[in-house]
C-alpha cells in the first residue's frame, strides 16, 4: 500500500530540473526583450525599469525606414510564397501521384540544397548573380528565397498528397466525379491544412531570412531582418530593436504554432531527415 | 436490375499475371462471391469491373453494353471499399449526397433520397454526424449507403467487413444480404472468408492464382469441391495421399472402397464425416489431442505414419489423448490429377482387420 | 502520423506503370530547373572557377593559387580554426543538452514533459535576429544577468558578447529544437517492449541506454549532428552579430571578402573550402534523409 502510493506521488525531479533550466534559458531572454519594448527609462543597475510607456512604439512606428522595410519584406514574402506555390504545388502533385522517368532521382535532388553549408552556397550563388547583375535587386532576393523554400514546398505537399487515401479518390470517381472534380472536392480539402501550413512556413521563413537578403540584397534591398541588423550594430536607442522584435515576433509565432499543430512534431522532424 | 458478363478478362502487372482468362456471368439480382486467398486476383477483378484497373485483354459488359473503355465515373457500378474510404472532411449527409450533387439532383430530392438510404442501412438521424464520430460498423454502413443512393446497376463490395470484429461482421453481413435481396441488386462480393461466402452468396467463385477453381452454389462448393485446393480452402478437410488398388483406397491407417480405376489418388474427408469409435485392439490411430468446443469435440488422430487427421464428434468421455481409435468413414471424395473423380458414402463401419464388408457406392 | 508518412514515402517507390506519362516531367520542370540553376550549377561553377582560371599571362589553366593563399595566410587559418572550434563545441554541447532532454521526453508523459517539450521547441519560433538582440540584452555588458547578479551583491560576469563563446551560446540555443525533435523521432523507433524485455532480463537503466537505446538511435544522433554542423559551420547572422571581429567565423569572413573586400574569387575559394570540410556530413545527411523518405 505504501509502495503504491509513493509510486503514484513520485516527484518528477528530472522534469522539474529541465523545466527550470529551460524556462530560464528560453523564456528569460524573451521576457527581457518584451520588457525593453515597453520601457521608457531603464538605467543600470535597477532590476525593474524606472519608467514604462509606449513612447518608443510611437517613435519606431513613425520611422520611414521601418515602414519601408516592412512593406518590402511583406512584398517579398508574398511574391516568394505565391511563386513557390505556383511552381511547387503542381510539381508536388506530380511527384505524389504521377509516374515519369527519373522521378525518384529528381525528387531527391531537392535535398542538394541541404547538402552544403548554407552560406557557402549563398556565396557561390552570389558569384553567379554578380555576373547577371542581380545583386542588390528585388528579383535577385526573390530567387535566393525561392531556393530556400523549394524543399519545404515540395516535400511537405508531397507527403500531404500521398497521405490522401487513394480509395477516397476512387470512391469519388465511382460516385461519378471526373479527375478534376476529384482533385478539387476530395484531394485538395484532404491535403489542404498541410499545404496551408507549408505556405505559412515559407512565408514566415522568407520574412525572417537574413543571410541571403543581406548578401544578395544589400545595399538596395533592406528587408526587416537587415534593418534589425543595422539597429543592433549602429542604433544607440535600445528600444527600437525591442519594439521591432515584439512587433515582428508575435504574428510569426501564431503562424508557426498553427503550422506545427497541423504538420505534427514527428513529420516536422522527418522533413529535416530525422 | 442488371446482368454482368465478364468474358476472357486477363490482367498483367509487369511480369506477374493477376487474372488469367476469367469468364463469369452474374444474373440479375444475383449475389456472387469471389473467394480466394490473398493474391488470388479477386480484388483486381473487382477493380477492373469498377474501372480502377484496365484489363490487359477481355470484355466486361453490363446489360450487353461494353464498359471496358469507360472511366469509373461513367460506369453504372457502385463500390464499397474495405477501408470504407469515407471522405473525412464531409459529414455523413455530404458523403452520401456527393454523387447526387454531381448529377445536379434538386435539393429536395437529394434530401429525400439521402434520408431514405440512411433508413435503409439503419442509420436514420445520423446525417449530420462527422465520419470519425461513427463506429467501424456505422462507417461501413455509410459507405454502403453512399454507393446505394446512386442506384448502381452493379454493386461491388471489396472485403467490406475485413476491418470489423467477428461479432459485428456477422450482423452486418446479414443486413447487407437483406438489403441486397430487398433491392434485388446484382452484386459482386470479394472476400477471403469462406464463412462469409457460404453465408451470403447465391454462387461462389473460388479463385487461385488468377484462375477459377470452381463456380457453384455454396452447398455444391462445400459438398463437392472440384479440386483438392477448394476442398482444403472451404471448411476443414482431411486430405490423404494414397493408392487405389482393386477399388480399395489405402493409405497408412485407413482404407476405403472407391470403385474406380487403379492408381494414385487424394482422399478428402470432412471432420464431421470421419467418425471415431474406441478401438478394439491397437486401433487405426491414436488420439493426439481433443479440443472441446462445447457443441462438439474436435479430435486430432495420429495415423501410424505420423500424419494427423481431424474428426468432429459429440462430446464424450472416450476422447482422451493416447487412446487408440477406429474410424467410421462417411462421405468421402477422391481426386486424381487435380480433378474430382469420386464422391460417395461408405455405408458401414470399416476396420482394417475386417476390411471385407460390402460397400455401396453413392456417387 | 509517422506510420502515415512512412507509408506515403514507400508508396512513392512502388507504383503501377499505367500512368507513366511524360507530362509529370513537365509539372516538375520549373523547380528542378531552379535546383539545377541555383544549387548544382553554382557549386560546380564555384569549384571550376577556383581551379581553372586566368593566370598572369592571360591564359586559362589549372591554378590552385587561391587555395595556396588561403592555407598559407595566417588570418584565414585563424578564421578556419575558430570555425572548427565553434562547430565542434556546439556539436558537443548540443549532444550533452539535447540527448537527456529527448530521453526524458520519450519516457515520460503528462503535463510537465509537455511543458518541457514546448520549451525545447520554442526557439524554432524565434528568428535568429531576435535571438541575437535578446542575447545582447541578457548576456551583454550591463545586461539582465549583470543586473540580477548586482542585485544580490555578486560581481558582473565576463560577458561572452563579442567573444568566441557568443556565437557558441547563440547557435546552441538556435539548434536545440531541431536536435531534440530529430532525436525524439529516432527514440520513437525504440519499442517500449524491447526496453521492458531488457529490464526483464536484468539490465539497469544505464545498460538499457547503452545496449538497447543507443544502438537504435545512433543514426538519428548522427543525422542531428550532421544537420547542426552543416548549419553552424557557415553560420552568418549570429557569429556576425555576437562574435569577435577577429578571428571571425567562415560565414562573416566569406561575406566580408565578397562584399567589403570585393574579392569574389577568394570568397568562392573560402566557400569551396567550407564545402570540403562539410562534404562528409552533407553526404551522410542526404543519404539518411533519402533512405528515410524512400522507406
Amino acid at each position: 500500500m505504501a509502495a503504491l502510493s509513493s509510486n503514484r506521488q513520485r516527484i518528477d525531479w528530472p522534469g522539474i530540473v529541465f523545466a527550470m533550466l529551460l524556462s530560464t534559458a528560453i523564456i528569460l531572454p524573451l521576457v527581457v526583450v518584451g520588457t525593453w519594448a515597453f520601457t521608457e527609462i531603464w538605467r543600470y543597475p535597477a532590476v525593474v525599469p524606472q519608467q514604462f510607456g509606449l513612447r518608443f512604439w510611437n517613435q519606431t512606428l513613425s520611422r520611414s525606414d521601418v515602414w519601408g522595410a516592412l512593406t518590402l519584406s511583406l512584398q517579398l514574402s508574398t511574391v516568394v510564397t505565391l511563386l513557390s506555390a505556383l511552381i511547387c504545388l503542381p510539381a508536388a502533385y506530380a511527384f505524389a501521384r504521377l509516374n515519369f522517368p527519373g522521378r525518384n532521382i529528381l525528387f531527391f535532388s531537392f535535398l542538394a540544397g541541404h547538402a552544403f553549408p548554407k552560406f557557402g552556397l549563398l556565396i557561390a550563388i552570389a558569384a553567379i548573380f554578380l555576373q547577371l547583375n542581380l545583386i542588390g535587386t528585388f528579383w535577385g532576393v526573390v530567387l535566393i528565397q525561392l531556393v530556400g523554400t523549394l524543399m519545404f514546398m515540395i516535400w511537405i505537399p508531397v507527403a500531404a498528397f500521398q497521405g490522401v487515401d487513394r480509395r477516397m479518390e476512387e470512391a469519388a470517381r465511382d460516385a461519378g466525379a471526373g479527375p478534376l472534380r476529384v482533385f478539387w472536392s476530395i484531394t485538395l480539402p484532404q491535403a489542404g491544412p498541410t499545404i496551408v501550413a507549408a505556405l505559412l512556413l515559407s512565408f514566415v521563413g522568407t520574412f525572417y531570412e537574413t543571410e541571403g537578403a543581406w548578401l544578395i540584397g544589400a545595399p538596395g534591398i533592406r528587408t526587416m531582418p537587415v534593418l534589425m541588423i543595422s539597429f543592433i550594430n549602429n542604433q544607440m536607442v535600445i528600444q527600437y530593436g525591442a519594439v521591432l522584435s515584439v512587433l515582428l515576433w508575435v504574428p510569426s509565432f501564431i503562424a508557426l504554432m498553427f503550422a506545427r499543430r497541423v504538420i505534427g512534431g514527428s513529420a516536422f522532424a522527418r522533413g529535416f531527415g530525422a | 436490375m442488371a446482368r454482368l458478363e465478364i468474358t476472357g478478362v486477363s490482367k498483367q502487372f509487369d511480369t506477374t499475371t493477376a487474372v488469367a482468362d476469367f469468364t463469369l456471368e452474374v444474373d440479375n439480382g444475383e449475389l456472387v462471391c469471389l473467394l480466394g486467398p490473398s493474391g488470388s486476383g479477386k480484388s483486381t477483378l473487382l477493380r477492373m469491373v469498377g474501372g480502377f484497373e484496365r484489363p490487359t485483354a477481355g470484355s466486361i459488359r453490363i446489360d450487353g453494353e461494353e464498359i471496358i473503355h469507360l472511366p469509373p465515373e461513367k460506369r453504372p457500378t457502385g463500390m464499397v471499399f474495405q477501408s470504407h474510404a469515407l471522405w473525412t472532411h464531409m459529414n455523413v449527409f455530404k458523403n452520401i449526397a456527393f454523387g447526387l450533387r454531381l448529377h445536379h439532383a434538386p435539393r429536395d430530392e437529394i434530401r429525400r433520397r439521402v434520408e431514405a438510404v440512411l433508413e435503409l442501412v439503419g442509420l436514420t438521424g445520423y446525417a449530420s454526424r462527422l465520419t470519425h464520430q461513427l463506429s467501424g460498423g456505422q462507417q461501413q454502413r455509410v459507405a454502403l449507403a453512399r454507393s446505394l443512393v446512386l442506384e448502381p446497376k452493379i454493386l461491388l463490395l471489396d472485403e467490406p467487413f475485413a476491418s470489423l470484429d467477428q461479432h459485428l461482421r456477422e450482423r452486418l453481413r446479414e443486413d447487407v444480404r437483406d438489403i441486397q435481396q430487398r433491392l434485388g441488386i446484382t452484386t459482386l462480393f470479394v472476400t477471403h472468408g469462406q464463412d462469409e461466402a457460404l453465408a451470403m452468396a447465391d454462387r461462389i467463385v473460388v479463385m487461385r492464382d488468377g484462375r477459377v477453381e470452381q463456380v457453384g452454389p455454396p452447398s455444391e462448393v462445400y459438398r463437392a469441391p472440384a479440386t483438392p485446393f477448394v476442398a482444403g480452402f472451404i471448411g476443414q478437410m482431411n486430405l490423404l495421399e494414397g493408392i487405389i488398388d482393386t477399388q480399395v483406397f489405402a493409405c497408412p491407417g485407413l482404407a476405403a472402397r472407391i470403385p474406380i480405376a487403379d492408381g494414385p489418388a487424394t482422399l478428402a474427408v470432412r471432420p464431421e464425416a470421419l467418425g471415431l469409435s474406441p478401438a478394439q485392439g491397437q486401433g487405426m490411430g491414436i488420439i493426439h489431442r481433443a479440443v472441446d468446443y462445447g457443441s462438439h469435440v474436435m479430435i486430432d488422430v495420429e495415423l501410424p505414419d505420423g500424419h494427423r487427421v481431424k474428426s468432429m464428434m459429440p462430446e464424450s468421455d472416450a476422447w482422451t489423448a493416447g487412446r487408440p481409435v477406429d474410424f467410421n468413414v462417411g462421405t468421402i471424395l477422391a481426386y486424381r490429377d487435380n480433378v474430382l473423380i469420386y464422391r460417395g458414402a461408405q455405408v458401414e463401419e470399416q476396420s482394417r482387420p475386417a476390411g471385407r464388408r460390402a460397400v455401396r457406392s453413392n456417387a | 502520423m509517422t506510420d502515415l508518412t512512412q507509408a506515403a514515402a514507400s508508396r512513392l517507390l512502388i507504383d503501377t506503370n499505367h500512368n507513366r506519362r511524360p507530362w509529370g516531367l513537365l509539372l516538375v520542370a520549373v523547380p528542378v530547373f531552379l535546383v539545377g540553376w541555383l544549387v548544382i550549377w553554382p557549386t560546380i561553377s564555384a569549384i571550376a572557377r577556383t581551379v581553372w582560371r586566368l593566370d598572369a599571362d592571360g591564359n586559362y589553366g589549372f591554378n590552385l593559387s587561391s587555395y595556396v593563399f588561403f592555407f598559407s595566410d595566417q588570418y584565414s587559418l585563424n578564421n578556419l580554426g575558430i570555425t572548427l572550434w565553434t562547430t565542434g563545441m556546439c556539436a558537443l554541447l548540443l549532444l550533452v543538452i539535447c540527448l537527456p532532454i529527448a530521453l526524458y521526453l520519450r519516457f515520460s508523459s503528462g503535463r510537465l514533459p509537455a511543458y518541457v517539450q514546448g520549451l525545447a521547441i520554442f526557439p524554432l519560433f524565434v528568428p535568429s535576429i531576435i535571438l541575437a538582440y535578446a542575447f545582447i540584452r541578457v548576456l551583454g555588458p550591463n545586461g539582465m544577468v549583470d543586473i540580477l547578479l548586482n542585485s544580490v551583491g555578486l560581481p558582473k560576469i565576463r560577458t561572452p558578447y563579442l567573444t568566441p563563446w557568443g556565437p557558441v551560446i547563440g547557435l546552441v540555443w538556435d539548434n536545440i529544437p531541431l536536435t531534440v525533435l530529430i532525436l525524439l523521432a529516432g527514440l520513437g523507433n525504440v519499442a517500449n517492449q524491447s526496453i521492458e524485455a531488457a529490464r526483464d532480463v536484468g539490465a539497469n537503466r544505464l545498460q538499457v541506454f547503452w545496449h538497447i537505446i543507443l544502438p537504435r538511435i545512433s543514426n538519428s544522433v548522427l543525422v542531428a549532428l550532421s544537420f547542426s554542423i552543416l548549419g553552424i559551420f557557415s553560420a552568418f547572422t549570429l557569429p556576425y552579430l555576437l562574435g569577435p571581429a577577429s578571428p571571425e567565423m567562415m560565414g562573416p569572413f566569406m561575406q566580408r571578402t565578397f562584399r567589403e573586400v570585393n574579392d569574389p574569387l577568394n570568397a568562392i575559394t573560402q566557400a569551396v573550402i567550407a564545402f570540403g570540410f562539410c562534404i562528409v556530413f552533407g553526404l551522410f545527411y542526404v543519404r539518411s534523409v533519402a533512405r528515410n523518405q524512400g522507406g
Side-chain angles (χ1 to χ4, degrees):
Chain A
M1 188 64 212
L4 241 173
S5 60
S6 79
N7 221 351
R8 204 182 320 137
Q9 308 258 318
R10 198 161 72 191
I11 296 168
D12 185 5
W13 284 115
I16 292 171
V17 172
F18 282 130
M20 280 170 44
L21 287 179
L22 283 172
S23 299
T24 316
I26 309 280
I27 305 282
L28 177 75
L30 299 172
V31 169
V32 172
V33 174
T35 315
W36 267 108
F38 297 97
T39 291
E40 287 183 3
I41 302 170
W42 190 357
R43 291 199 191 85
Y44 186 81
V47 177
V48 177
Q50 283 88 351
Q51 190 181 336
F52 287 103
L54 292 173
R55 185 155 56 93
F56 286 97
W57 281 77
N58 213 348
Q59 284 188 14
T60 311
L61 292 179
S62 56
R63 289 175 66 106
S64 65
D65 55 352
V66 169
W67 283 108
L70 188 64
T71 342
L72 181 72
S73 276
L74 286 175
Q75 273 173 0
L76 184 74
S77 304
T78 312
V79 168
V80 168
T81 307
L82 287 181
L83 268 181
S84 172
L86 198 68
I87 65 171
C88 291
L89 291 183
Y93 185 79
F95 279 123
R97 283 295 155 85
L98 304 176
N99 203 349
F100 47 86
R103 184 176 63 154
N104 286 335
I105 185 101
L106 291 180
F107 182 63
F108 289 118
S109 76
F110 292 99
L111 269 175
H114 287 236
F116 302 107
K118 191 183 165 216
F119 203 76
L121 187 62
L122 284 177
I123 291 280
I125 299 173
I128 293 199
F129 279 13
L130 202 59
Q131 295 168 322
L132 299 171
N133 280 327
L134 281 169
I135 298 283
T137 66
F138 182 75
W139 291 104
V141 181
V142 166
L143 275 174
I144 263 296
Q145 305 294 4
L146 208 50
V147 175
T149 61
L150 272 185
M151 189 172 133
F152 254 110
M153 283 295 286
I154 299 263
W155 281 39
I156 294 178
V158 163
F161 284 132
Q162 284 179 332
V164 179
D165 187 353
R166 247 179 220 234
R167 274 167 295 200
M168 277 193 201
E169 296 172 315
E170 287 178 350
R173 291 290 295 271
D174 202 47
L180 273 178
R181 182 63 196 250
V182 172
F183 181 79
W184 187 250
S185 294
I186 309 295
T187 316
L188 210 56
Q190 286 282 330
T194 315
I195 290 173
V196 170
L199 288 173
L200 263 173
L201 277 180
S202 93
F203 188 92
V204 171
T206 305
F207 194 91
Y208 283 107
E209 207 280 341
T210 316
E211 311 182 341
W214 177 256
L215 187 70
I216 305 289
I221 300 296
R222 270 184 126 192
T223 64
M224 229 36 214
V226 174
L227 185 71
M228 272 289 284
I229 289 189
S230 67
F231 274 14
I232 289 173
N233 276 350
N234 316 320
Q235 182 55 250
M236 291 312 291
V237 181
I238 291 167
Q239 282 89 336
Y240 287 162
V243 170
L244 274 193
S245 298
V246 173
L247 200 66
L248 296 182
W249 174 72
V250 173
S252 88
F253 174 71
I254 294 166
L256 281 165
M257 282 304 267
F258 170 75
R260 215 188 79 77
R261 187 191 204 82
V262 169
I263 297 175
S266 67
F268 205 83
R270 204 162 283 276
F272 290 93
Chain B
M1 310 298 113
R3 187 180 156 78
L4 173 69
E5 294 162 80
I6 304 171
T7 318
V9 163
S10 301
K11 176 68 183 176
Q12 200 84 23
F13 285 116
D14 288 335
T15 55
T16 58
T17 306
V19 175
D21 195 22
F22 184 95
T23 299
L24 176 72
E25 287 181 17
V26 185
D27 256 343
N28 197 359
E30 197 183 14
L31 191 154
V32 171
C33 250
L34 300 175
L35 177 65
S38 51
S40 58
K42 53 195 194 313
S43 268
T44 310
L45 191 71
L46 197 77
R47 290 172 58 80
M48 286 194 285
V49 177
F52 302 111
E53 304 281 357
R54 187 151 242 191
T56 323
S59 135
I60 300 173
R61 270 175 287 192
I62 294 174
D63 285 341
E65 211 173 306
E66 182 62 66
I67 57 159
I68 210 136
H69 302 295
L70 296 178
E73 64 267 28
K74 298 260 166 61
R75 296 191 183 197
T77 54
M79 181 128 158
V80 177
F81 293 83
Q82 177 182 344
S83 61
H84 57 73
L86 292 181
W87 303 307
T88 51
H89 60 290
M90 303 180 186
N91 65 15
V92 170
F93 182 89
K94 284 184 177 160
N95 262 281
I96 298 173
F98 181 75
L100 296 171
R101 289 216 170 113
L102 290 175
H103 294 115
H104 302 291
R107 191 179 290 262
D108 292 348
E109 193 196 330
I110 292 179
R111 179 161 303 278
R112 195 172 45 73
R113 285 173 68 177
V114 171
E115 273 164 15
V117 80
L118 276 174
E119 193 189 331
L120 183 71
V121 299
L123 286 178
T124 312
Y126 281 75
S128 57
R129 296 280 186 100
L130 292 172
T131 54
H132 62 81
Q133 295 170 323
L134 303 175
S135 69
Q138 289 168 335
Q139 288 175 333
Q140 206 51 273
R141 283 168 196 270
V142 174
L144 183 66
R146 185 174 65 179
S147 292
L148 289 177
V149 77
L150 297 170
E151 295 170 0
K153 288 184 167 177
I154 311 285
L155 182 63
L156 306 170
L157 303 164
D158 187 5
E159 307 214 14
F161 313 133
S163 53
L164 306 175
D165 62 46
Q166 182 65 30
H167 214 67
L168 208 57
R169 197 181 303 180
E170 279 172 23
R171 235 189 91 195
L172 204 55
R173 82 181 174 213
E174 281 165 22
D175 288 358
V176 168
R177 177 63 165 157
D178 283 349
I179 291 169
Q180 185 265 335
Q181 283 182 330
R182 204 164 351 139
L183 300 176
I185 186 169
T186 312
T187 304
L188 203 53
F189 187 111
V190 161
T191 180
H192 63 255
Q194 35 122 348
D195 52 337
E196 218 157 271
L198 292 171
M200 292 181 72
D202 292 315
R203 275 193 300 155
I204 295 178
V205 179
V206 183
M207 292 184 69
R208 178 200 194 184
D209 297 337
R211 288 169 201 284
V212 175
E213 289 274 314
Q214 184 174 11
V215 184
S219 57
E220 186 187 313
V221 172
Y222 186 81
R223 300 224 166 74
T227 65
F229 171 79
V230 178
F233 190 72
I234 308 238
Q236 285 191 313
M237 185 68 94
N238 297 303
L239 292 169
L240 293 161
E241 302 291 333
I243 291 184
I244 298 176
D245 185 13
T246 56
Q247 305 207 333
V248 173
F249 172 93
C251 70
L254 202 69
R257 190 175 150 68
I258 299 178
I260 49 171
D262 293 356
T266 306
L267 181 79
V269 189
R270 295 242 178 246
E272 61 264 33
L274 188 65
L276 298 182
S277 55
Q280 289 106 33
Q282 62 181 23
M284 296 161 154
I286 309 283
I287 294 181
H288 172 73
R289 172 173 46 204
V291 180
D292 193 339
Y293 284 96
S295 57
H296 61 272
V297 186
M298 197 54 100
I299 304 149
D300 285 7
V301 181
E302 191 163 299
L303 300 178
D305 66 343
H307 268 92
R308 288 190 191 144
V309 291
K310 281 185 185 300
S311 165
M312 191 165 144
M313 293 295 289
E315 195 268 321
S316 154
D317 292 340
W319 319 128
T320 51
R323 287 187 70 166
V325 286
D326 286 337
F327 297 113
N328 314 308
V329 182
T331 304
I332 56 168
L333 304 138
Y335 299 91
R336 184 178 289 161
D337 298 332
N338 216 22
V339 175
L340 182 65
I341 50 170
Y342 173 79
R343 172 168 175 261
Q346 307 283 312
V347 201
E348 278 174 74
E349 172 185 333
Q350 286 274 315
S351 60
R352 196 173 37 178
R356 59 207 136 68
R357 295 186 194 184
V359 165
R360 183 166 57 93
S361 165
N362 200 24
Chain C
M1 189 77 210
T2 310
D3 288 347
L4 212 122
T5 43
Q6 241 161 11
S10 62
R11 214 178 303 148
L12 185 76
L13 295 177
I14 40 162
D15 207 338
T16 50
N17 284 342
H18 68 276
N19 52 3
R20 185 180 279 272
R21 295 186 193 104
W23 54 268
L25 270 180
L26 211 69
L27 290 177
V28 304
V30 181
V32 166
F33 164 76
L34 275 177
V35 166
W37 181 42
L38 293 178
V39 177
I40 314 278
W41 167 242
T43 317
I44 295 169
S45 145
I47 297 170
R49 281 164 68 178
T50 48
V51 301
W52 189 265
R53 57 192 172 85
L54 280 174
D55 59 14
D57 307 330
N59 301 320
Y60 275 96
F62 187 69
N63 189 337
L64 286 178
S65 59
S66 63
Y67 292 93
V68 174
F69 171 77
F70 184 93
F71 285 107
S72 57
D73 177 41
Q74 192 54 45
Y75 182 65
S76 305
L77 288 177
N78 285 347
N79 290 343
L80 183 62
I82 193 81
T83 307
L84 289 173
W85 179 84
T86 308
T87 309
M89 187 56 79
C90 286
L92 187 72
L93 285 175
L94 276 172
L95 201 60
V96 169
I97 293 170
C98 296
L99 197 55
I101 295 178
L103 281 170
Y104 166 73
L105 291 177
R106 167 67 181 80
F107 295 109
S108 40
S109 60
R111 289 174 120 184
L112 195 62
Y115 175 71
V116 171
Q117 179 163 14
L119 280 179
I121 292 171
F122 198 80
L124 206 56
F125 307 125
V126 182
S128 50
I129 187 77
I130 294 179
L131 163 64
Y133 180 81
F135 175 98
I136 296 168
R137 294 276 70 80
V138 174
L139 289 171
N142 290 356
M144 198 66 210
V145 172
D146 280 350
I147 292 176
L148 291 175
L149 287 176
N150 182 65
S151 68
V152 291
L154 290 170
K156 289 183 181 181
I157 52 161
R158 257 178 57 209
T159 173
Y161 181 45
L162 301 183
T163 74
W165 285 101
V168 169
I169 295 171
L171 288 167
V172 166
W173 203 88
D174 219 20
N175 277 289
I176 282 178
L178 282 174
T179 312
V180 168
L181 278 177
I182 293 173
L183 290 178
L184 207 51
L187 281 168
N189 297 334
V190 184
N192 271 342
Q193 288 186 353
S194 69
I195 290 164
E196 281 158 10
R199 296 295 292 268
D200 192 50
V201 299
N204 63 29
R205 278 164 192 276
L206 202 67
Q207 287 165 326
V208 166
F209 173 72
W210 190 254
H211 294 289
I212 309 293
I213 298 176
L214 207 56
R216 288 284 183 80
I217 63 162
S218 56
N219 194 61
S220 293
V221 171
L222 288 175
V223 168
L225 285 184
S226 299
F227 186 79
S228 323
I229 286 169
L230 283 172
I232 292 168
F233 192 90
S234 76
F236 169 74
T237 311
L238 291 170
Y240 178 74
L241 291 173
L242 304 180
S246 169
E248 58 191 342
M249 279 181 70
M250 290 302 281
F253 183 39
M254 284 187 265
Q255 193 269 344
R256 214 166 43 75
T257 315
F258 189 84
R259 297 298 306 235
E260 284 160 38
V261 185
N262 209 354
D263 182 2
L265 177 70
N266 277 317
I268 300 170
T269 305
Q270 291 153 13
V272 174
I273 288 166
F275 294 163
F277 273 93
C278 294
I279 187 89
V280 178
F281 300 106
L283 289 180
F284 175 80
Y285 179 72
V286 168
R287 194 193 63 124
S288 12
V289 177
R291 206 175 51 180
N292 220 321
Q293 295 283 330

